[in-house]
Amino acid sequence: MTGEATTAVIGVEGMAALIRVLAARGRTVIGPTARDGAIVLDELTDGDELPYGWGVELEAGHYRVRPRADGAAFAHSAGPQSWKTYLHPQRERQWSAARGPDGAWAVTEDDTPPPSYAFLGVRPCDLRAIAVQDRVLAGGPHSDSRYRARRARAFLVAVECTEPGATCFCTSMGAGPAVDGGYDLALTEVVDGGGHRFWARAGSDEGAAVLAELPHLPADESLAAAAGEKVAAAADRMGRSMPEVDLRTLMRETLHADRWNDVAARCLTCGNCTMACPTCFCTSAEDVTDLTGDHAERWRRWESCFDLEFSHLPGGPVRASGRSRYRQWATHKLGTWFDQFDSSGCVGCGRCIVWCPVGIDITEEAHALNAERAAGGPPGESTA
Ligand code: SF4
Ligand code: SF4
């Protein structure tokens, strides 16, 4: 990094200035805001739009916003959306085609340059989730050029977690609540007798340059220690945890567990968990035409492995039962993702637990599988 300051203390005014500075640099600033009874991600133009004084109450199949007396802006855990909404959009046109008067088709690729985003308030688990999607969508010989373009232009402002939700388990997955790189700026919010401040560190040259443009508070060495203590305390207050076993082996050894029948009896195969998950990346292509038949478009949209059509081959769907579809999802997240991408596919954000309409909890399922294995449940070598 250049010689710019790499650490600083900023206040609430500094946070508002951060949004202005990023916008002045041509960035579309996306961050959390309270709207429609939830803390959602949206474009921010002013510091007042941050959810100051709002927290969340989370449980399996349950989400409520709750006022907070301390006025904190980032004392809420993962919301209904994740950053993949912007980096890997839900629907995207790939190309359009028009038939000319001579009957010939002209195909136009959609190559509009992507916005230059600044993501404000990226949680450590979501920073890991972006790294997971980077490996999937931007790594290897068949990477996604649109994802790569959006990702290369994105400026990430991480905010460490000091208020984990009841459904969070990032500590179990080694994905939080502290950040350990991959950001342009990292912030830790501290609200105490000393005021409302953010301990800020730059992680890139541009991060340092942005930090230098913000109004600073007087240097306060004790704030770094207070911030560290809050993050360490958050690690001890995770609402959920995974069994302390090798999850990859657990998934492999419980393929025939009775527990898959139990969860299948509850699962609606609605796919909400895959839509809310920040690492799920599957898509399918959809071709549409207008009524004249002279215009056609190809759209890519998110797809879910819970959809019966997802595994449809000429003889029918490979995973016809709810049991096989839930098992596919869970074993991929916690097991076979390692084989494909050399990491877990789960970062412990808890979204799939909160947004499951029947409250299915991936940590509860993993504990139940572990208990069944310990009790000598059915073997799991076969993949049938
Ligand atoms: S686990 Fe829950 S969210 Fe996922 S498909 Fe089943 S019912 Fe839907
Ligand atoms: S599987 Fe669930 S907890 Fe894990 S990253 Fe996806 S949504 Fe978050």
Side-chain angles (χ1 to χ4, degrees), residues 121-205:
V122 183
R123 295 318 174 125
C125 61
D126 280 343
L127 213 47
R128 267 43 163 233
I130 291 172
V132 168
Q133 288 216 322
D134 285 352
R135 279 193 292 280
V136 175
L137 296 167
H142 306 294
S143 64
D144 178 335
S145 57
R146 290 161 202 255
Y147 178 90
R148 270 201 332 266
R150 283 187 285 262
R151 184 67 181 87
R153 294 158 69 92
F155 182 95
L156 305 187
V157 183
V159 177
E160 291 189 302
C161 269
T162 53
E163 199 68 41
T167 49
C168 291
F169 58 100
C170 65
T171 307
S172 284
M173 307 312 292
V179 293
D180 65 358
Y183 54 81
D184 293 288
L185 271 181
L187 307 172
T188 315
E189 184 175 30
V190 177
V191 190
D192 58 17
H196 193 159
R197 298 95 83 216
F198 299 87
W199 171 237
R201 291 88 74 198
S204 68
D205 286 343

Side-chain angles (χ1 to χ4, degrees), residues 169 273 276-280 329 333 345-353 362:
F169 58 100
C273 46
C277 179
T279 66
C280 277
W329 178 72
K333 286 278 151 203
C346 174
V347 296
C349 72
R351 286 186 179 91
C352 57
I353 305 172
I362 191 170

Side-chain angles (χ1 to χ4, degrees), residues 298-373:
R298 172 162 293 176
W299 287 77
R300 189 172 70 175
R301 62 168 175 79
W302 289 352
E303 179 59 286
S304 171
C305 52
F306 282 91
D307 188 334
L308 200 54
E309 293 299 302
F310 184 86
S311 66
H312 199 108
L313 294 179
V318 172
R319 291 185 283 272
S321 68
R323 170 189 157 107
S324 61
R325 300 213 285 287
Y326 185 87
R327 185 180 66 173
Q328 148 65 24
W329 178 72
T331 56
H332 190 211
K333 286 278 151 203
L334 303 175
T336 50
W337 204 289
F338 283 96
D339 304 324
Q340 273 183 294
F341 306 115
D342 204 23
S343 76
S344 168
C346 174
V347 296
C349 72
R351 286 186 179 91
C352 57
I353 305 172
V354 173
W355 299 99
C356 173
V358 292
I360 291 172
D361 175 346
I362 191 170
T363 66
E364 186 185 342
E365 298 311 314
H367 280 285
L369 289 166
N370 193 38
E372 188 174 338
R373 179 178 65 165

Side-chain angles (χ1 to χ4, degrees), residues 50-55 68-76 162 189 191 196 198:
L50 287 166
Y52 285 108
W54 289 103
R68 291 180 60 92
D70 63 5
F74 296 97
H76 54 87
T162 53
E189 184 175 30
V191 190
H196 193 159
F198 299 87

